[in-house]
Amino acid sequence: MENFIKYITRNYEIIIKELLNHLSIIGIALPFAVIIGVSVGIIIAGKPKISKIIIYISGMFMTIPSPALFGIMIILLAPFNAGLGKPPAVIALIIYSLLPMIRNTVNAVNSLDHNIIEAAEGMGMKNYQILIKIRIPLALPLIMSGIRSSVVMGVGVATIGYYIAAGGLGYFIFAGLSRSRFEMILTGVILTAALGIFLNYFILKLEDIITPKGLKISGE
Amino acid sequence: MNIFTYLLENPDYILEKTFQHIYIFLISWSFAVITGIISGIFITREKNKKIGRIILVIIGITQSVPSIAVIALFFLFMGIGFITAAFALFLYSLVPIVFNTASGLISVDGNVKEAALGMGMTKKDILFKIEIPMAMPSVFSGIRNSAVINIATATVAATIGAGGLGVIIFTGLSHFNASMIFAGAVPVSFLALSIDLILGFLEKKFTSEGLKISEEG
Amino acid sequence: MPIKLKNLTKKFGDYTAVNNITLSIEDSKITVLIGPSGCGKTTTLKMINGLIKRTEGNIFFNEISIDKINPIDLRRRIGYVIQEIGLFPHMNVYQNIAVVPKLLGWKENKIKNRINELLELVNLNPEENIFKYPKQLSGGQKQRVGVARALAADPEILLMDEPFGAIDPINREKLQDAFIDIQEKIKKTIVFVTHDIREAIKLGDSISVFNTGKIEQSGKTFEIIKKPKNKFVSNLIGNHAEINTLEFRKAENSIDKDFSAVKINASDTNLLKEQKNSYVIFLDDNNNFLGILSKEKISQLSTENYLNNLKTYFITPDSTLLDAAGIMLSKGINTVPVISAEKKVLGVIKYETIFQEE
Ligand SMILES: Nc1ncnc2c1ncn2[C@@H]1O[C@H](COP(=O)(O)OP(=O)(O)OP(=O)(O)O)[C@@H](O)[C@H]1O
Ligand SMILES: [Mg+2]
């Protein structure tokens, strides 16, 4: 315990740096994941067969173990001089985020009641108005929960960034493991766990804020 | 060098690691399934409601903790080794099973339970004939999730002595050896997909038709 | 099986949901519990099958205290239909209905026969519906399955908690009609909870009016309508209750045999004047109904004119008293003949019978 306190007081600069590194990997990947995931989701929604196939394929990506995906990224990106550092980590994260993003978008779009859309059309709304005023607000909460899954997963996945020189909180855990430095490991454990819990909670609150009031009144 | 090279040149080693991987998965996961379903049932019983609520909150929080944090934490307590890894994997795959079992049981309509009680079913009848069959889809989604997570996390657990295919992947990663990484990753994905396939088949078999029909259809 | 509630009380903490009620539930009859939301109807019902434990008082089945009966056995012998039906979504229609028979260890063959019988009773085609799941049924069909399920093991008692509450008015009416027919065949002791006074009057042999955990009045349906004990009951019943009840009363149950009938060719004026009733029915040679005239009219007309002036209104025995009242009010008469399909006079419905019974 003493070691631990000593360690964090001496290394708070590194801690902050790696925390920011960690967040930036997630932060850079996120917009790409959202754009790709949501557009794919919107395109394939309403086509049950294609949706099923695409969701299955993105599910297959999820079964690739994270260190392997990072490794594959290094090799694939090496010809572009981007083999190490953040780019492979970011791309790997985007790939992992596809499943939750696509699945939730498809669900969000499909769960829209046709009657509502018809009613909107009947009221003389144009297509883009329906998209902005009806579809997006109603779909947003589900898409947001897809974002939450991606981000929370990203906190864990990004730790592997340590192995490919992308930095991040993985440093404390993996370097700590290989050097048997308990205080480092503990730092890593606490930071990653706290970050996951915090981000989950934070986005949950966001979801709550953006959910139209009428949708919150559930059965109970 | 070809990406298949390592895979083709070391089939025995890969097979050995695959079996190790399956071994730690089966041990940790099957205990998690049994314990998870029983705890899910336990914490949703009327008399355990208070503890149940607390446990569900803890579990909800745990779900947002990365697996690597759990693995490293157990290393801190138990040191390196197979037992540590298996135990960490067990606990980590327990979470979705308990959570899904409990939420499946909780979401069984109160009216349905009351109708059952009113018809003269005992608590046991209700649990086995009504609640569990109705929670089946949710239980299975927990089990499937947990299996896929377990197999993937087991690779990371190689860093604390789990053995298995993670060893090949991490060795490959530290040598930037694509062929080696590939040789480790392919069986992992294959394992995850096959287990999921098998569980999907079992789910179909054990879930009532009546729960799958959508309201409109 | 008759049920007696004696000084029955239920407290939830400090709150008294049911307050010292005493009620005799008649064998083979429908007893309706009615009252505003939260007045303790469901609580009372659930005390009867032991889903809720009473705080004070007692419940007797055939004079046997509920304490002497194993609650699980008791519930297997009481059919129970709840507010939201509570069909089991993972079981098909067959399996849903088979639950209690299976609990009771019936043979598969017996169950199968029983289910076919029940589905016919509730007017659902067995072949078409037996393998359907609840989600594949309409609201009305679900409700019928709910009733069939409650009847599955041929219980002597049926508890029904707003079984038709969630059904649209038109289908509710149909279900009520079907239910009346069913009860005519099965003659169970039924305790039926509703919010709807119209439903209560239509179905109830007796009605108990609940208010904040107490019974304001209970008795035969007509007693309640004719003699509401207090403001609460009369408000609940509403102003038009008497008229409304007419719709649910069959003419055949109110036939008055005390009527005057003469053969048309025997109709000399003196004979007609001797008739003691204010209306005289005219028959042909075969005793078939020809028409009706008031004595007042008779005295104004010459004999030859009777035939031309005969009023030919009548109702059939399966008409309702509302039909009879409608004729009386629109034609300004106070007696309507009831005529069988064979044109024989069965009797008359009198104004006094409709509006001043008991
Ligand atoms: N388990 C319970 N705990 C506390 N109070 C209860 C409980 N069950 C019922 N109550 C209260 O007892 C009162 C009577 O409830 P009950 O369900 O019997 O009403 P009801 O007449 O059936 O009403 P409704 O017509 O709305 O179904 C209500 O005020 C209700 O809030
Ligand atoms: Mg009620």
Side-chain angles (χ1 to χ4, degrees):
Chain A
M1 204 64 215
E2 234 170 85
N3 281 341
F4 172 62
I5 291 165
K6 224 187 267 166
Y7 181 79
I8 44 176
T9 43
R10 286 208 191 135
N11 295 284
Y12 68 94
E13 277 179 357
I14 300 179
I15 291 175
I16 290 173
K17 191 187 107 202
E18 296 300 1
L19 183 63
L20 290 177
N21 259 333
H22 206 87
L23 284 173
S24 69
I25 295 172
I26 300 171
I28 296 169
L30 190 64
F32 290 101
V34 171
I35 291 169
I36 298 172
V38 171
S39 358
V40 171
I42 287 177
I43 292 168
I44 63 170
K47 295 164 194 144
K49 268 204 183 132
I50 299 176
S51 308
K52 227 178 159 182
I53 294 169
I54 300 275
I55 287 175
Y56 190 76
I57 292 173
S58 45
M60 282 172 83
F61 284 129
M62 298 274 286
T63 66
I64 304 173
S66 44
L69 189 60
F70 277 65
I72 292 166
M73 280 306 131
I74 304 176
I75 317 294
L76 289 181
L77 294 179
F80 307 101
N81 263 339
L84 286 181
K86 286 205 181 112
V90 167
I91 295 178
L93 216 59
I94 295 173
I95 290 176
Y96 278 129
S97 304
L98 287 180
L99 178 69
M101 291 308 314
I102 294 177
R103 189 167 49 196
N104 279 33
T105 308
V106 168
N107 285 347
V109 175
N110 285 352
S111 66
L112 280 187
D113 193 344
H114 286 291
N115 295 329
I116 297 177
I117 305 296
E118 254 170 48
E121 280 168 356
M123 286 156 72
M125 281 187 159
K126 303 224 169 60
N127 269 341
Y128 75 90
Q129 287 172 318
I130 292 179
L131 189 70
I132 291 171
K133 294 211 164 134
I134 314 256
R135 281 186 193 273
I136 292 181
L138 289 179
L140 219 47
L142 255 179
I143 293 177
M144 207 61 192
S145 105
I147 292 178
R148 185 162 54 91
S149 308
S150 304
V151 168
V152 169
M153 197 176 50
V155 174
V157 172
T159 54
I160 307 293
Y162 164 72
Y163 282 96
I164 57 168
L169 299 172
Y171 163 72
F172 301 103
I173 294 177
F174 292 114
L177 278 173
S178 59
R179 296 174 209 164
S180 287
R181 295 263 313 265
F182 281 43
E183 64 281 4
M184 269 180 92
I185 300 174
L186 190 58
T187 309
V189 167
I190 292 176
L191 284 175
T192 48
L195 190 62
I197 293 169
F198 166 77
L199 287 176
N200 185 51
Y201 181 79
F202 177 74
I203 303 175
L204 212 55
K205 281 280 152 248
L206 272 184
E207 267 171 60
D208 203 41
I209 291 168
I210 60 164
T211 305
K213 274 231 177 70
L215 292 184
K216 281 184 203 161
I217 306 157
S218 64
E220 275 183 70
Chain B
M1 194 183 76
N2 181 309
I3 193 136
F4 294 101
T5 314
Y6 192 88
L7 195 66
L8 296 172
E9 284 175 2
N10 302 282
D12 290 346
Y13 182 60
I14 293 167
L15 212 59
E16 184 200 322
K17 289 293 163 200
T18 306
F19 280 124
Q20 262 179 24
H21 208 100
I22 296 176
Y23 182 62
I24 198 167
F25 157 71
L26 279 183
I27 286 190
S28 58
W29 179 76
S30 48
F31 272 108
V33 170
I34 296 166
T35 325
I37 292 178
I38 293 175
S39 344
I41 292 170
F42 179 80
I43 61 173
T44 50
R45 293 310 90 191
E46 195 60 41
K47 53 184 189 293
N48 308 323
K49 263 217 162 124
K50 272 194 190 139
I51 316 172
R53 213 165 284 155
I54 298 167
I55 292 180
L56 278 179
V57 169
I58 295 172
I59 279 181
I61 295 171
T62 319
Q63 275 190 317
S64 50
V65 174
S67 53
I68 182 65
V70 174
I71 288 170
L73 187 69
F74 276 89
F75 168 78
L76 289 179
F77 288 124
M78 297 166 65
I80 208 153
F82 180 84
I83 305 269
T84 310
F87 196 67
L89 281 177
F90 158 74
L91 275 185
Y92 200 69
S93 28
L94 195 60
V95 170
I97 300 177
V98 178
F99 186 81
N100 279 41
T101 304
S103 54
L105 290 172
I106 288 171
S107 64
V108 171
D109 189 352
N111 288 314
V112 168
K113 277 189 268 185
E114 193 184 303
L117 204 58
M119 290 163 81
M121 282 194 178
T122 59
K123 289 233 162 90
K124 205 175 108 201
D125 286 330
I126 294 177
L127 177 63
F128 287 105
K129 291 183 183 154
I130 308 291
E131 295 187 84
I132 292 180
M134 280 182 72
M136 230 20 150
S138 177
V139 172
F140 260 101
S141 107
I143 292 178
R144 288 172 78 166
N145 239 331
S146 153
V148 173
I149 291 172
N150 185 306
I151 291 169
T153 308
T155 55
V156 182
T159 54
I160 61 160
L165 294 157
V167 174
I168 302 178
I169 295 172
F170 273 102
T171 315
L173 189 59
S174 48
H175 294 108
F176 297 126
N177 181 337
S179 170
M180 209 170 164
I181 295 172
F182 185 77
V186 168
V188 172
S189 292
F190 179 76
L191 260 181
L193 291 172
S194 344
I195 297 285
D196 192 56
L197 203 70
I198 295 170
L199 291 174
F201 175 76
L202 289 179
E203 173 172 4
K204 211 169 248 170
K205 225 181 135 185
F206 286 109
T207 308
S208 155
E209 203 99 18
L211 299 174
K212 294 175 202 152
I213 301 153
S214 65
E215 211 74 62
E216 303 126 61
Chain C
M1 189 177 346
I3 310 168
K4 275 210 182 87
L5 314 182
K6 224 175 193 169
N7 303 106
L8 198 58
T9 297
K10 176 68 202 181
K11 290 185 179 148
F12 293 110
D14 286 339
Y15 181 77
T16 309
V18 173
N19 192 353
N20 193 23
I21 62 169
T22 295
L23 178 65
S24 274
I25 293 159
E26 231 185 311
D27 187 26
S28 312
K29 291 275 159 53
I30 301 177
T31 301
V32 173
L33 313 184
I34 189 168
S37 195
C39 65
K41 307 180 294 292
T42 299
T43 306
T44 304
L45 209 62
K46 286 188 190 168
M47 282 193 279
I48 296 177
N49 66 6
L51 282 180
I52 291 181
K53 272 217 154 348
R54 66 188 194 277
T55 314
E56 271 162 52
N58 209 343
I59 300 169
F60 298 96
F61 299 90
N62 261 345
E63 311 292 331
I64 300 165
S65 162
I66 190 168
D67 296 330
K68 301 221 169 72
I69 311 170
N70 174 314
I72 298 287
D73 291 341
L74 177 74
R75 288 177 206 150
R76 289 179 187 177
R77 281 162 47 202
I78 297 180
Y80 183 41
V81 186
I82 60 171
Q83 246 159 332
E84 286 83 7
I85 317 173
L87 289 185
F88 304 135
H90 61 298
M91 298 182 184
N92 62 27
V93 169
Y94 182 96
Q95 293 162 329
N96 259 291
I97 303 177
V99 168
V100 177
K102 275 192 183 148
L103 288 173
L104 294 172
W106 287 19
K107 293 253 155 45
E108 199 60 40
N109 232 348
K110 187 175 170 195
I111 297 180
K112 204 178 260 168
N113 292 336
R114 177 69 182 156
I115 288 175
N116 277 325
E117 191 182 301
L118 283 165
L119 284 175
E120 289 195 352
L121 181 72
V122 298
N123 228 330
L124 282 173
N125 183 336
E127 282 99 66
E128 259 172 50
N129 293 295
I130 227 163
F131 295 116
K132 281 192 181 159
Y133 284 95
K135 279 186 187 163
Q136 298 168 312
L137 300 172
S138 72
Q141 287 172 329
K142 275 186 212 161
Q143 206 52 263
R144 285 163 197 261
V145 175
V147 172
R149 183 174 73 172
L151 291 170
D154 205 17
E156 288 168 80
I157 297 168
L158 211 52
L159 306 179
M160 307 181 82
D161 195 346
E162 298 191 41
F164 310 140
I167 312 281
D168 64 274
I170 293 175
N171 279 306
R172 191 185 316 161
E173 204 77 34
K174 280 191 198 155
L175 279 168
Q176 290 164 346
D177 292 337
F179 180 65
I180 291 173
D181 289 343
I182 293 171
Q183 167 66 351
E184 213 136 272
K185 288 179 206 148
I186 60 178
K187 296 251 182 284
K188 302 286 180 196
T189 305
I190 297 176
V191 187
F192 190 107
V193 169
T194 182
H195 262 114
D196 175 2
I197 184 67
R198 196 182 136 80
E199 185 166 77
I201 293 168
K202 181 169 178 181
L203 302 180
D205 295 306
S206 306
I207 295 180
S208 280
V209 180
F210 276 61
N211 183 22
T212 57
K214 290 206 174 104
I215 294 181
E216 294 281 351
Q217 185 176 4
S218 55
K220 290 263 182 309
T221 303
F222 290 109
E223 278 168 31
I224 302 271
I225 292 163
K226 300 284 174 193
K227 297 185 201 110
K229 215 173 180 174
N230 55 33
K231 195 95 187 130
F232 182 84
V233 179
S234 57
N235 279 341
L236 179 86
I237 290 168
N239 293 328
H240 308 296
E242 285 197 40
I243 301 279
N244 287 338
T245 62
L246 299 179
E247 187 184 344
F248 310 129
R249 291 167 62 191
K250 289 261 165 71
E252 59 193 339
N253 299 327
S254 302
I255 290 176
D256 198 332
K257 297 278 186 199
D258 177 25
F259 60 89
S260 310
V262 296
K263 288 225 168 106
I264 189 82
N265 51 9
S267 55
D268 71 77
T269 335
N270 286 331
L271 175 65
L272 288 170
K273 278 182 185 145
E274 280 159 24
Q275 300 297 329
K276 58 183 182 350
N277 287 296
S278 55
Y279 280 80
V280 179
I281 293 171
F282 291 84
L283 307 172
D284 68 11
D285 290 338
N286 301 324
N287 280 334
N288 288 343
F289 174 73
L290 278 177
I292 187 168
L293 268 182
S294 68
K295 277 211 311 221
E296 198 186 336
K297 199 87 179 182
I298 289 170
S299 63
Q300 291 164 7
L301 292 169
S302 58
T303 321
E304 326 58 274
N305 279 338
Y306 293 159
L307 262 181
N308 299 334
N309 283 287
L310 281 181
K311 307 284 185 217
T312 53
Y313 333 115
F314 67 91
I315 58 172
T316 52
D318 59 348
S319 311
T320 67
L321 291 190
L322 189 63
D323 300 327
I327 291 175
M328 289 175 191
L329 296 175
S330 63
K331 308 296 178 197
I333 55 177
N334 65 22
T335 301
V336 178
V338 183
I339 307 300
S340 72
E342 298 80 32
K343 296 207 138 196
K344 294 287 179 282
V345 181
L346 299 172
V348 293
I349 303 290
K350 289 184 177 164
Y351 182 84
E352 309 89 78
T353 319
I354 297 181
F355 292 103
Q356 279 152 47
E357 188 179 278
E358 288 158 48

PDB file of all heavy atoms in Angstrom, chain B residues 74-92:
ATOM      1  N   PHE B  74      -6.773 -10.283  -9.805  1.00  0.00           N
ATOM      2  CA  PHE B  74      -6.602 -11.601  -9.203  1.00  0.00           C
ATOM      3  C   PHE B  74      -5.144 -12.018  -9.134  1.00  0.00           C
ATOM      4  O   PHE B  74      -4.720 -12.724  -8.235  1.00  0.00           O
ATOM      5  CB  PHE B  74      -7.465 -12.639  -9.936  1.00  0.00           C
ATOM      6  CG  PHE B  74      -8.845 -12.630  -9.403  1.00  0.00           C
ATOM      7  CD1 PHE B  74      -9.800 -11.795  -9.948  1.00  0.00           C
ATOM      8  CD2 PHE B  74      -9.167 -13.381  -8.286  1.00  0.00           C
ATOM      9  CE1 PHE B  74     -11.067 -11.734  -9.410  1.00  0.00           C
ATOM     10  CE2 PHE B  74     -10.425 -13.322  -7.744  1.00  0.00           C
ATOM     11  CZ  PHE B  74     -11.382 -12.492  -8.305  1.00  0.00           C
ATOM     12  N   PHE B  75      -4.382 -11.537 -10.093  1.00  0.00           N
ATOM     13  CA  PHE B  75      -2.951 -11.784 -10.019  1.00  0.00           C
ATOM     14  C   PHE B  75      -2.388 -11.198  -8.729  1.00  0.00           C
ATOM     15  O   PHE B  75      -1.581 -11.810  -8.039  1.00  0.00           O
ATOM     16  CB  PHE B  75      -2.259 -11.171 -11.236  1.00  0.00           C
ATOM     17  CG  PHE B  75      -0.771 -11.131 -11.096  1.00  0.00           C
ATOM     18  CD1 PHE B  75      -0.009 -12.269 -11.305  1.00  0.00           C
ATOM     19  CD2 PHE B  75      -0.128  -9.963 -10.720  1.00  0.00           C
ATOM     20  CE1 PHE B  75       1.358 -12.238 -11.157  1.00  0.00           C
ATOM     21  CE2 PHE B  75       1.238  -9.927 -10.567  1.00  0.00           C
ATOM     22  CZ  PHE B  75       1.989 -11.070 -10.790  1.00  0.00           C
ATOM     23  N   LEU B  76      -2.872  -9.978  -8.404  1.00  0.00           N
ATOM     24  CA  LEU B  76      -2.384  -9.326  -7.194  1.00  0.00           C
ATOM     25  C   LEU B  76      -2.656 -10.176  -5.962  1.00  0.00           C
ATOM     26  O   LEU B  76      -1.850 -10.250  -5.049  1.00  0.00           O
ATOM     27  CB  LEU B  76      -3.059  -7.959  -7.019  1.00  0.00           C
ATOM     28  CG  LEU B  76      -2.624  -6.874  -7.999  1.00  0.00           C
ATOM     29  CD1 LEU B  76      -3.384  -5.575  -7.735  1.00  0.00           C
ATOM     30  CD2 LEU B  76      -1.128  -6.629  -7.900  1.00  0.00           C
ATOM     31  N   PHE B  77      -3.817 -10.814  -5.932  1.00  0.00           N
ATOM     32  CA  PHE B  77      -4.166 -11.595  -4.754  1.00  0.00           C
ATOM     33  C   PHE B  77      -3.581 -13.006  -4.761  1.00  0.00           C
ATOM     34  O   PHE B  77      -3.189 -13.536  -3.745  1.00  0.00           O
ATOM     35  CB  PHE B  77      -5.688 -11.711  -4.620  1.00  0.00           C
ATOM     36  CG  PHE B  77      -6.326 -10.430  -4.202  1.00  0.00           C
ATOM     37  CD1 PHE B  77      -7.336  -9.851  -4.960  1.00  0.00           C
ATOM     38  CD2 PHE B  77      -5.916  -9.783  -3.037  1.00  0.00           C
ATOM     39  CE1 PHE B  77      -7.925  -8.659  -4.572  1.00  0.00           C
ATOM     40  CE2 PHE B  77      -6.496  -8.588  -2.646  1.00  0.00           C
ATOM     41  CZ  PHE B  77      -7.502  -8.027  -3.414  1.00  0.00           C
ATOM     42  N   MET B  78      -3.567 -13.606  -5.950  1.00  0.00           N
ATOM     43  CA  MET B  78      -3.271 -15.034  -5.986  1.00  0.00           C
ATOM     44  C   MET B  78      -1.991 -15.392  -6.719  1.00  0.00           C
ATOM     45  O   MET B  78      -1.631 -16.569  -6.816  1.00  0.00           O
ATOM     46  CB  MET B  78      -4.448 -15.795  -6.628  1.00  0.00           C
ATOM     47  CG  MET B  78      -5.738 -15.688  -5.832  1.00  0.00           C
ATOM     48  SD  MET B  78      -7.184 -16.230  -6.767  1.00  0.00           S
ATOM     49  CE  MET B  78      -6.825 -17.955  -6.975  1.00  0.00           C
ATOM     50  N   GLY B  79      -1.319 -14.406  -7.269  1.00  0.00           N
ATOM     51  CA  GLY B  79      -0.082 -14.696  -7.981  1.00  0.00           C
ATOM     52  C   GLY B  79      -0.348 -15.329  -9.333  1.00  0.00           C
ATOM     53  O   GLY B  79      -1.497 -15.542  -9.738  1.00  0.00           O
ATOM     54  N   ILE B  80       0.735 -15.683 -10.008  1.00  0.00           N
ATOM     55  CA  ILE B  80       0.581 -16.190 -11.362  1.00  0.00           C
ATOM     56  C   ILE B  80       0.209 -17.669 -11.330  1.00  0.00           C
ATOM     57  O   ILE B  80       0.510 -18.360 -10.359  1.00  0.00           O
ATOM     58  CB  ILE B  80       1.920 -15.964 -12.137  1.00  0.00           C
ATOM     59  CG1 ILE B  80       1.648 -15.813 -13.625  1.00  0.00           C
ATOM     60  CG2 ILE B  80       2.909 -17.082 -11.863  1.00  0.00           C
ATOM     61  CD1 ILE B  80       2.732 -14.978 -14.296  1.00  0.00           C
ATOM     62  N   GLY B  81      -0.491 -18.144 -12.340  1.00  0.00           N
ATOM     63  CA  GLY B  81      -0.782 -19.579 -12.401  1.00  0.00           C
ATOM     64  C   GLY B  81      -2.143 -19.890 -12.991  1.00  0.00           C
ATOM     65  O   GLY B  81      -2.996 -19.018 -13.152  1.00  0.00           O
ATOM     66  N   PHE B  82      -2.333 -21.152 -13.296  1.00  0.00           N
ATOM     67  CA  PHE B  82      -3.550 -21.628 -13.927  1.00  0.00           C
ATOM     68  C   PHE B  82      -4.780 -21.352 -13.053  1.00  0.00           C
ATOM     69  O   PHE B  82      -5.815 -20.902 -13.515  1.00  0.00           O
ATOM     70  CB  PHE B  82      -3.419 -23.127 -14.204  1.00  0.00           C
ATOM     71  CG  PHE B  82      -4.639 -23.715 -14.852  1.00  0.00           C
ATOM     72  CD1 PHE B  82      -4.800 -23.638 -16.233  1.00  0.00           C
ATOM     73  CD2 PHE B  82      -5.610 -24.338 -14.084  1.00  0.00           C
ATOM     74  CE1 PHE B  82      -5.927 -24.174 -16.834  1.00  0.00           C
ATOM     75  CE2 PHE B  82      -6.744 -24.876 -14.686  1.00  0.00           C
ATOM     76  CZ  PHE B  82      -6.896 -24.794 -16.062  1.00  0.00           C
ATOM     77  N   ILE B  83      -4.603 -21.652 -11.729  1.00  0.00           N
ATOM     78  CA  ILE B  83      -5.734 -21.493 -10.824  1.00  0.00           C
ATOM     79  C   ILE B  83      -6.205 -20.038 -10.796  1.00  0.00           C
ATOM     80  O   ILE B  83      -7.401 -19.751 -10.868  1.00  0.00           O
ATOM     81  CB  ILE B  83      -5.336 -21.920  -9.390  1.00  0.00           C
ATOM     82  CG1 ILE B  83      -4.796 -23.346  -9.406  1.00  0.00           C
ATOM     83  CG2 ILE B  83      -6.503 -21.754  -8.439  1.00  0.00           C
ATOM     84  CD1 ILE B  83      -5.801 -24.423  -9.174  1.00  0.00           C
ATOM     85  N   THR B  84      -5.258 -19.125 -10.699  1.00  0.00           N
ATOM     86  CA  THR B  84      -5.611 -17.709 -10.695  1.00  0.00           C
ATOM     87  C   THR B  84      -6.396 -17.367 -11.952  1.00  0.00           C
ATOM     88  O   THR B  84      -7.456 -16.732 -11.900  1.00  0.00           O
ATOM     89  CB  THR B  84      -4.339 -16.830 -10.685  1.00  0.00           C
ATOM     90  OG1 THR B  84      -3.483 -17.301  -9.659  1.00  0.00           O
ATOM     91  CG2 THR B  84      -4.692 -15.382 -10.464  1.00  0.00           C
ATOM     92  N   ALA B  85      -5.847 -17.775 -13.089  1.00  0.00           N
ATOM     93  CA  ALA B  85      -6.483 -17.438 -14.360  1.00  0.00           C
ATOM     94  C   ALA B  85      -7.879 -18.041 -14.432  1.00  0.00           C
ATOM     95  O   ALA B  85      -8.849 -17.367 -14.808  1.00  0.00           O
ATOM     96  CB  ALA B  85      -5.622 -17.951 -15.513  1.00  0.00           C
ATOM     97  N   ALA B  86      -7.984 -19.316 -14.046  1.00  0.00           N
ATOM     98  CA  ALA B  86      -9.288 -19.980 -14.128  1.00  0.00           C
ATOM     99  C   ALA B  86     -10.292 -19.298 -13.212  1.00  0.00           C
ATOM    100  O   ALA B  86     -11.456 -19.102 -13.578  1.00  0.00           O
ATOM    101  CB  ALA B  86      -9.143 -21.457 -13.756  1.00  0.00           C
ATOM    102  N   PHE B  87      -9.803 -18.898 -12.041  1.00  0.00           N
ATOM    103  CA  PHE B  87     -10.711 -18.273 -11.097  1.00  0.00           C
ATOM    104  C   PHE B  87     -11.180 -16.909 -11.602  1.00  0.00           C
ATOM    105  O   PHE B  87     -12.363 -16.566 -11.524  1.00  0.00           O
ATOM    106  CB  PHE B  87     -10.029 -18.135  -9.734  1.00  0.00           C
ATOM    107  CG  PHE B  87     -10.984 -17.861  -8.628  1.00  0.00           C
ATOM    108  CD1 PHE B  87     -11.909 -18.826  -8.243  1.00  0.00           C
ATOM    109  CD2 PHE B  87     -10.990 -16.639  -7.982  1.00  0.00           C
ATOM    110  CE1 PHE B  87     -12.824 -18.571  -7.240  1.00  0.00           C
ATOM    111  CE2 PHE B  87     -11.904 -16.373  -6.969  1.00  0.00           C
ATOM    112  CZ  PHE B  87     -12.816 -17.342  -6.595  1.00  0.00           C
ATOM    113  N   ALA B  88     -10.238 -16.144 -12.149  1.00  0.00           N
ATOM    114  CA  ALA B  88     -10.606 -14.833 -12.694  1.00  0.00           C
ATOM    115  C   ALA B  88     -11.587 -14.996 -13.844  1.00  0.00           C
ATOM    116  O   ALA B  88     -12.587 -14.274 -13.945  1.00  0.00           O
ATOM    117  CB  ALA B  88      -9.355 -14.090 -13.165  1.00  0.00           C
ATOM    118  N   LEU B  89     -11.322 -15.977 -14.707  1.00  0.00           N
ATOM    119  CA  LEU B  89     -12.222 -16.219 -15.836  1.00  0.00           C
ATOM    120  C   LEU B  89     -13.602 -16.647 -15.348  1.00  0.00           C
ATOM    121  O   LEU B  89     -14.628 -16.217 -15.864  1.00  0.00           O
ATOM    122  CB  LEU B  89     -11.656 -17.313 -16.744  1.00  0.00           C
ATOM    123  CG  LEU B  89     -10.553 -16.892 -17.689  1.00  0.00           C
ATOM    124  CD1 LEU B  89     -10.041 -18.102 -18.466  1.00  0.00           C
ATOM    125  CD2 LEU B  89     -11.062 -15.831 -18.645  1.00  0.00           C
ATOM    126  N   PHE B  90     -13.585 -17.509 -14.331  1.00  0.00           N
ATOM    127  CA  PHE B  90     -14.849 -17.968 -13.757  1.00  0.00           C
ATOM    128  C   PHE B  90     -15.673 -16.781 -13.280  1.00  0.00           C
ATOM    129  O   PHE B  90     -16.838 -16.624 -13.628  1.00  0.00           O
ATOM    130  CB  PHE B  90     -14.553 -18.934 -12.609  1.00  0.00           C
ATOM    131  CG  PHE B  90     -15.665 -19.089 -11.614  1.00  0.00           C
ATOM    132  CD1 PHE B  90     -16.801 -19.812 -11.932  1.00  0.00           C
ATOM    133  CD2 PHE B  90     -15.582 -18.501 -10.354  1.00  0.00           C
ATOM    134  CE1 PHE B  90     -17.836 -19.952 -11.019  1.00  0.00           C
ATOM    135  CE2 PHE B  90     -16.606 -18.631  -9.438  1.00  0.00           C
ATOM    136  CZ  PHE B  90     -17.736 -19.357  -9.769  1.00  0.00           C
ATOM    137  N   LEU B  91     -15.025 -15.912 -12.506  1.00  0.00           N
ATOM    138  CA  LEU B  91     -15.778 -14.790 -11.960  1.00  0.00           C
ATOM    139  C   LEU B  91     -16.242 -13.834 -13.048  1.00  0.00           C
ATOM    140  O   LEU B  91     -17.363 -13.342 -13.027  1.00  0.00           O
ATOM    141  CB  LEU B  91     -14.923 -14.033 -10.937  1.00  0.00           C
ATOM    142  CG  LEU B  91     -14.955 -14.605  -9.536  1.00  0.00           C
ATOM    143  CD1 LEU B  91     -14.174 -13.701  -8.595  1.00  0.00           C
ATOM    144  CD2 LEU B  91     -16.399 -14.737  -9.036  1.00  0.00           C
ATOM    145  N   TYR B  92     -15.352 -13.630 -14.033  1.00  0.00           N
ATOM    146  CA  TYR B  92     -15.724 -12.679 -15.067  1.00  0.00           C
ATOM    147  C   TYR B  92     -16.849 -13.222 -15.933  1.00  0.00           C
ATOM    148  O   TYR B  92     -17.725 -12.472 -16.365  1.00  0.00           O
ATOM    149  CB  TYR B  92     -14.514 -12.311 -15.939  1.00  0.00           C
ATOM    150  CG  TYR B  92     -14.730 -11.017 -16.670  1.00  0.00           C
ATOM    151  CD1 TYR B  92     -14.765  -9.808 -15.974  1.00  0.00           C
ATOM    152  CD2 TYR B  92     -14.935 -10.983 -18.044  1.00  0.00           C
ATOM    153  CE1 TYR B  92     -14.991  -8.615 -16.619  1.00  0.00           C
ATOM    154  CE2 TYR B  92     -15.159  -9.781 -18.708  1.00  0.00           C
ATOM    155  CZ  TYR B  92     -15.184  -8.600 -17.991  1.00  0.00           C
ATOM    156  OH  TYR B  92     -15.409  -7.422 -18.632  1.00  0.00           O
TER     157      TYR B  92
END
